[in-house]
Amino acid sequence: MSAKIAAQLVTQRRFLPLLLAQCLGSLNDNLFRYALVTMVTFSGLTLFGIERDILVPIAASMITLPIFLFSAIAGRMADRFDRTRIMRVTKQIEIWIMLLAALALVLRQPLLLLPTLFLMGAQSAFFTPAKNAALPSLMAPHELVPANALLSGFLNVSILAGVALGTWLAVRPLGPEIIGGALVVIAILGWLSARQLPHVDGANPDLKLNFNFLAETVRVLGYALKAPEVLRPLLGAAWFWMLAASIITLMPVFTASVLGADETVVLLFSALFTVGAAIGALLCGALSGKGDALAFSIAGAIGLVIFTTDVALATWSNPLVPEGAPLMDASAFFAERGNWRLLADLGLAAVSAGLFVVPLQAMAQRRAAPELRGRLLAAGGIMNAATATLGQFTLAFIAMGQLPIQTAFLLIAGGSALVALVTIWRLSLRRKAASAPQ
């Protein structure tokens, strides 16, 4: 049933333009971000002599910090104004930001690249709450899990495309210039897609705006604390974004320092992770039926425990490869059969992550009261940004603590085990309450 619903959604104006606008925006974000990370890791791009283990998470945090700062204001706007109009305006602003990004890449100027990342994060901060708040109005309740599965699945495909192009082109002659031109074209296509969406009026048109982001952030988080039925899935989704940010930030240095491999292996791992996450999300959407599908979240969390632990165990005894040492490419890496275990672990961990997050996103959207939906889901955006920022600095914390890089995978496994136990406990409480005599 869910597979049939998903197939119908991709032909409809109330969904397809939203899917395209989100995927094109994600493609741009990851194309630019991963080009920058690759230039720092493999091409010697630096700022004030900061080591790459510190500069990479700083650059990554520049795109999540504004999401943390501005999501509360954006959520308030999503409850007041036409939500699809907000998406159209933010996609138009993205075109100008991508023009600045193209200039920064052509000049190869870190002092301009980092502020551009900040502006990209700010644009996402206003787009995402409007998108999330509009989705329950555009979809019927039973369509939310399939719709979120499609959005998550194709989001991962667009991430993969951005990572692949950014990683490969950044170290090629004229690569940064080609990336800059692509960023502008993709932003224009995203804006044209958003223009096709039907109107979705705000649920609270008399709501007053408050541009004090600190006060509004505290207020929005307070709304979430008062709605525990929405807060719980939001916290679960925040954990997903933390582990995803950790893996994305960790992978280039892990590949070079622990595995002795170059950017082609980073690309291989990124492909595995994003395709696996897309498969997990689409499987959840196809098999979930019309319920909350929490069983998929539990299975995904358990899979994350197993497979990330095995990544750490498989590489724990590897000696560190010094900077400047020769690195093997993907073909040489793949030729060593001992590395197949690592490839399987990363791919299955990604499938588990995709299974884990989709039911939680749909659950939060379904449970949020319409008049507060924008702000409640913006609270989720704030938590996602906060946890993603922590995830991006996992590498820096490990470096400062002089711990093995594999420690990050053990931390992911431990957190996933805790999430699985809490979800199982909550599900058992719900079933007991449902079976109790009335």
Side-chain angles (χ1 to χ4, degrees), residues 49-280:
I50 299 173
E51 293 183 4
R52 67 179 184 180
D53 288 3
I54 306 298
L55 184 56
V56 167
I58 288 175
S61 69
M62 292 299 291
I63 205 167
T64 53
L65 177 61
I67 298 173
F68 178 79
L69 294 177
F70 304 132
S71 286
I73 298 172
R76 200 170 186 87
M77 293 177 67
D79 280 337
R80 175 173 175 176
F81 298 113
D82 183 327
R83 290 157 178 172
T84 53
R85 184 185 177 195
I86 294 173
M87 287 188 272
R88 288 193 292 271
V89 171
T90 56
K91 298 302 287 185
Q92 188 174 27
I93 292 171
E94 184 183 336
I95 298 172
W96 296 100
I97 297 173
M98 291 305 110
L99 285 168
L100 180 61
L103 178 63
L105 285 167
V106 169
L107 297 177
R108 291 160 175 77
Q109 177 51 260
L111 285 174
L112 190 56
L113 288 166
L114 293 180
T116 302
L117 281 172
F118 184 89
L119 292 174
M120 292 169 68
Q123 183 266 338
S124 295
F126 285 90
F127 177 85
T128 302
K131 177 206 74 177
N132 289 335
L135 197 60
S137 299
L138 293 168
M139 304 292 111
H142 68 277
E143 294 175 326
L144 278 176
V145 170
N148 275 280
L150 287 169
L151 288 169
S152 293
F154 283 98
L155 175 66
N156 280 288
V157 173
S158 65
I159 289 172
L160 172 60
V163 169
L165 289 172
T167 302
W168 185 74
L169 284 172
V171 293
R172 298 296 185 276
L174 295 180
E177 288 80 4
I178 295 171
I179 292 170
L183 292 173
V184 177
V185 172
I186 293 166
I188 293 171
L189 293 174
W191 171 65
L192 291 174
S193 297
R195 285 174 57 85
Q196 307 309 310
L197 282 166
H199 292 284
V200 177
D201 292 332
N204 198 344
D206 297 323
L207 186 67
K208 292 183 179 179
L209 297 181
N210 179 10
F211 294 100
N212 183 333
F213 69 88
L214 287 176
E216 193 60 26
T217 297
V218 171
R219 184 177 293 112
V220 163
L221 291 174
Y223 291 139
L225 289 173
K226 294 176 183 176
E229 71 284 357
V230 180
L231 178 62
R232 286 189 292 270
L234 291 179
L235 287 173
W239 169 248
F240 166 82
W241 289 109
M242 182 175 183
L243 71 90
S246 299
I247 291 174
I248 288 172
T249 307
L250 175 75
M251 202 52 67
V253 178
F254 173 77
T255 303
S257 299
V258 176
L259 303 177
D262 65 10
E263 70 273 10
T264 62
V265 179
V266 177
L267 178 57
L268 175 63
F269 288 159
S270 299
L272 270 176
F273 194 81
T274 50
V275 170
I279 291 171

